[in-house]
Amino acid sequence: MRVAETELDRERTVVAELYRRLDALRIDTERRLSEVRAQRASGTHQARSERDAFARMYEDRLLQLRDVGARLVLGRLLLEDATTDGAAAADALTDAAPAPATADAPDAARLADPRLRYVGRVGLRDDDQRSVLIDWRAPQASPFYQATAEHPFGVRARRHLTMRDRTVLRLDDEVFDESLLRDGASVRGDGALMAAVNAQRTGRMHDIVATIQAEQDRIIRSDLRGALVVQGAPGTGKTAVALHRAAYLLYTHRERLGKAGVLVVGPSSAFLRYIEAVLPSLGETGVVMRSVGDLFPGVEAVDEDPAEAARVKGMTRMARLLARAVRSRQKAPDAAQTVDVNGEALSVPVELIAEAIARAQRTGKPHNRARVTFVSHALDAMTAALAAQLRANGATLDDADVAVLREDLRTSDDVKVLLNTAWLPLTPQKLLRDLYARPAWLAELTTRWAAADRAALARDRDAPFTIADVPLLDEAAELLGDPPQSTQDALRQREQKQQRQRDLESARAAIRDADAKGFVTAERLVDGFADRSDAGSTADRAGADRTWTYGHVVVDEAQELSPMQWRVLLRRCPMRSFTIVGDIAQASSVAGAIDWADALDPFFHDAWTLEQLSVNYRTPAQIAQAADDFARAHELPATSARAVRDGDWPVERSTAAPAALTGAVAEAVRRCRPQASGGGTLAVIAPVARLDAIAASLTDAFGRDVGRGAPGLDLPITVLSARDAKGLEFDVVVLVDPDGIVAESPRGASAVYVAMTRPTQRLAIVAVG
């Protein structure tokens, strides 16, 4: 016991030394940032850019040093050393006699020992620029996650440090070299992984950087090119792998991804709330996170369509329908129109408007931008016709008079009506609302559609947009384009572009002078600081700009995406650099995928690869078996995964009459809740139609401990639909009326399968009978 306590004390001393170094770097960075900020924003433009370059550099570093303040050190490796005999190596594992050691600084001696490599959330160097802590994403840290007894990668032993804030609580050793055990090394701990998977849930996802397994690490460190699909059964860590991969790619490809950014797309706001703390804990705060209902700026869709409407809206033929709808709003009148221009009546033939429309369409520009060409040609033709008419009536006109005539035509109310009737500026929202609310127009555009499909789209003009409408709005925006800028706006844009080039040149010079190449780019400095301080972060600007293209996109629960939603994401990342995670068996959307090849081949062709996770870290074996049995009974394509642990409770099943259901649910919560107490979480997952009654009943029984939906994730008891529970995990799940969930949608069985695999400890099922 004393050996173990001594070793724990020694590791605590090492960690304290690393924290002293972290604090010293933070204080020094704060001082340097204050000095830079204190400099007056005067002098030459290059001087201002240099000041801003340093300020941004120090700001980024300070943010990183602050965010990793807790649980800084993950563990250490004992490496092979040809000059060290077995006894000395055993000493390096137990530190009974650490070498090289000094009486006054054993911690510094341990950090200097070439046999020991400490791994942490960030990399640290000492005053002599020697590495004392390796960033977990660095290539030198990969053996910490990938080493096994069969493939040790030069590692003789691995140690995990379990920490709370800045304190080391426990040690877990894995020995790959048997000679260490023969030579008397002391091994501590029963596994950091098992401690992590048995820990109570808090309503927020935590990073797994300390316990990444070899299978997961290989996927996290996969190449950036193309699309990587990660398929795995519930509990295999798909989401964690995806988020850690985003952090790894931003570290490894900082220059490429730092400016363009990374987009993380999840199925719901509840899911995003659940994972929002993971990337900041890994030192990455510039990632844009959006649910599929938030991908169109200005629209936050939370409602779902009925199954049939969602199916129709998710099909790629909706893109062709929208294209036809836009084209139909470019139409010449059926007969000649007479317009009044300052008292002069001018007959405008159909052919004149038709020719102007044809010329605009030949430009290939989006509707609103091509309208400029249409208006210009129409006005030119009408001006010529009006001038000819006036000359025929005896008027004498010179070029100046013709210019005045054109302006008179442009400002004429009759002409405005004529041009707008033929080619009206449109917004995506208006186009879609008109399409849904005008059945005669929809029928004219969809003569080959089944009447039931057209009926599925019909709705009132003032109805809120749904999640399935978001990709249609984005598609319409591509077809329509933004309204044309005024000449003044165009001039301002040109001036800003020229100023940006001057800023880039100054920033590059500042980076060269500061020898900061590789840490920050000129583009990143110019876009995020100085005279463009109001531009906001990359995340702010990207999230507000529909046309922003990202360097990489992470998609969770990707099996739920419709073809139209994939079209949106491909526009967000034309380079097709994706991390796609999901489980085909969990597809509950009628527009979702039933096969990865069917879903992805139309968009990625052969530029995607499939990886599979095979170990279930979350779900106890009893619950996983029950979920697998359910999947087989409903012919779901469930992926096999080995559970790493048995649970302490069998799956509990009960039945209640409809009138007594809410009381039975409250009683199940009362029975199961002790196992979710002390910081744990319990979720009640039920059909949408029963959520209100269940939430009210539980609130009566448990008061303020009960929450509903995403805001309720911080409370001990949360009431959720099966859809909102996707991607989340809880200590205990009470699943209510699974048959009702099955009946809610054509893929309701998948929703029940998802709900059954959310608990980490206990599952209770309350059926209606």
Side-chain angles (χ1 to χ4, degrees), residues 714-746:
D714 291 327
L715 298 174
I717 302 172
T718 309
V719 181
L720 296 164
S721 68
R723 176 186 176 275
D724 285 339
K726 292 187 74 67
L728 311 185
E729 58 183 31
F730 306 91
D731 292 283
V732 176
V733 166
V734 176
L735 174 60
V736 182
D737 189 11
D739 290 343
I741 296 176
V742 170
E744 278 186 326
S745 72

Side-chain angles (χ1 to χ4, degrees), residues 490-500 502 532:
L491 290 173
R492 186 183 301 112
Q493 191 177 53
R494 188 179 305 118
E495 291 173 358
Q496 290 176 346
K497 184 176 181 180
Q498 293 171 349
Q499 182 64 53
R500 173 181 167 80
R502 292 192 292 268
R532 278 162 203 81

Side-chain angles (χ1 to χ4, degrees), residues 277-341:
V278 174
L279 284 166
S281 74
L282 299 174
E284 301 298 344
T285 58
V287 175
V288 179
M289 304 183 74
R290 291 288 184 270
S291 70
V292 291
D294 296 333
L295 288 174
F296 187 80
V299 173
E300 296 181 4
V302 295
D303 296 330
E304 289 190 330
D305 282 291
E308 190 60 21
R311 180 188 66 82
V312 174
K313 291 179 180 181
M315 301 170 69
T316 53
R317 67 175 180 176
M318 287 298 299
R320 298 189 293 272
L321 168 59
L322 291 169
R324 292 196 299 273
V326 171
R327 192 72 173 234
S328 73
R329 305 304 286 267
Q330 305 164 3
K331 186 176 181 181
D334 295 330
Q337 303 292 307
T338 300
V339 296
D340 180 271
V341 184

